[in-house]
Amino acid sequence: MKHGYLKLILTMFLFFAFSGTTYAFDYTFHGKMWQVFGVTDNAATMPHSQKSGKTDFFSYNGALNDKGMKSGMYNVMSENEESVFGLTKARLRFEGTTDDGLAKIVYGLEVGTYNWGDSKNTKFGLSGDGINQETRFAYAEVTLPGIGGKIRAGLQPTKINSWVWSETAPGLTYHLKAGDWKTMAGWYRGEDDKITNGGDNDYLVIKIDNKLTANTTLGFFSIYADLDMTDTSIGDAYDSDTYYMGLTGKFNKDAFFSNFDIIHQFGDIDFDNSAIEDLNRTAWLGNLTVGFKVNDKFKISGNVLYVSGDDNPNDSKVKNFDSIDVDVKIGTIFFKDTILADCDRTISDAPYIMDKGLINYAIQGDYQIDDKNNLRMAVRYLTTAEDLDLKTNANDKDLGYEFDLWYTYQLNKYVQLKLDAAYLVAGDGADHLAASDNYDGDDIYKLATGIKVKF
């Protein structure tokens, strides 16, 4: 009987507590869902073979550290039978904001992309019942009275730079807008399997953007990564200090528009074994887009992207650029742009191929046919910055020419119907991503259609 009263009192307490917060908070609920169906003549290009957030590329003693990279990277251009696939991905986000707007909490869930018919733990097959849910956001944000600005704590978006760090991470950050200035400073804790034993993979960040004129924005960011002892893919332990310094800008005036990024990465890689020579890293990324609006419906632009690679695996200099955690938009075959990108079905989410960097030359067009229909196109030439040399007595940079097309039909405010198509005319450099010395990389096509719901 006493237990019954206790349960009743507890239930009443929770009811009144919840009722009280109902008046104190405004709740919103947002979501995205992708349902995609497609086909390709090379199934090996669909797994996520290289992920920036999992891999730190560098060569030492003639060997390449590729921890976190799936072995499929070495045979993504190999001959494969045609593959038909179905994919599902969903994100849900809850936000609760106090009536005075001074504080809010954000919690987001994600069902990452799963193949229809997957019978592993994800159980996206008959009867479902899989273990397939992850936390995407879990942070609180508070406006500071008097001082101004906001403090954000927890698992949150980083959005430092699209080429360096744009994904989520746990941390403590401060954000301030004052006139034409936007600034942020923060500390993030990086992925570390030794955290309970005193590991401390830490990132310190500062980011400043200023709207210089009505047409021009200039930005600067700096990242210091102090990474604790970890193991290479070969088993040797190392720690590292890495710095990023970046300058960004945008210009829009009349029919002309442009943007640029110049980023320098530098630091040291120190091995626990004194017999292994320590390494010095210095790398660069440069990106420039220049475009012209032909009219209100059609615009055309050109892009040049240079990402440095390592030309000598046997010296003590690491010259290849390494992103922290990004999703780069450089076409559909190798990298991440639109439906297949959203569903993580690409070779790489980082702007390079292993430690050899990347050069991208692209002509792009965007045509808003009417309120419902949009067509986007691109032709690009892709090479690595340094020679790929995975085959015996051979080397080359030429990945090939890629032709991309994206079509979107806006069904209503919340729903888009999409069609993506891409074709790669493989170059000689692509041969080095094939599994055998005797096999040349094939041309590749990808075709996908799907529905994206966002509310």
Side-chain angles (χ1 to χ4, degrees), residues 152-185:
R152 188 180 292 166
L155 183 62
Q156 58 187 283
T158 56
K159 295 184 179 179
I160 308 302
N161 179 269
S162 60
W163 304 109
V164 178
W165 202 2
S166 59
E167 273 289 353
T168 60
L172 180 66
T173 59
Y174 173 70
H175 306 256
L176 176 66
K177 290 182 66 175
D180 293 329
W181 292 86
K182 288 175 61 178
T183 62
M184 72 84 65

Side-chain angles (χ1 to χ4, degrees), residues 179-228:
D180 293 329
W181 292 86
K182 288 175 61 178
T183 62
M184 72 84 65
W187 161 70
Y188 296 95
R189 172 55 55 84
E191 184 173 310
D192 193 336
D193 58 7
K194 302 174 183 177
I195 194 68
T196 56
N197 298 319
D200 54 353
N201 283 352
D202 296 313
Y203 297 82
L204 301 178
V205 178
I206 185 168
K207 188 173 189 288
I208 302 171
D209 291 292
N210 177 235
K211 193 172 181 63
L212 296 177
T213 70
N215 309 111
T216 307
T217 300
L218 192 65
F220 167 81
F221 70 89
S222 178
I223 303 172
Y224 168 56
D226 178 15
L227 303 186
D228 193 45

Side-chain angles (χ1 to χ4, degrees), residues 200-260:
D200 54 353
N201 283 352
D202 296 313
Y203 297 82
L204 301 178
V205 178
I206 185 168
K207 188 173 189 288
I208 302 171
D209 291 292
N210 177 235
K211 193 172 181 63
L212 296 177
T213 70
N215 309 111
T216 307
T217 300
L218 192 65
F220 167 81
F221 70 89
S222 178
I223 303 172
Y224 168 56
D226 178 15
L227 303 186
D228 193 45
M229 197 67 68
T230 187
D231 295 329
T232 69
S233 53
I234 307 167
D236 297 308
Y238 73 98
D239 61 18
S240 64
D241 293 297
T242 302
Y243 301 83
Y244 294 88
M245 305 282 282
L247 189 66
T248 64
K250 294 181 180 179
F251 176 79
N252 293 274
K253 185 174 177 58
D254 300 327
F256 292 94
F257 61 92
S258 64
N259 62 75
F260 75 88

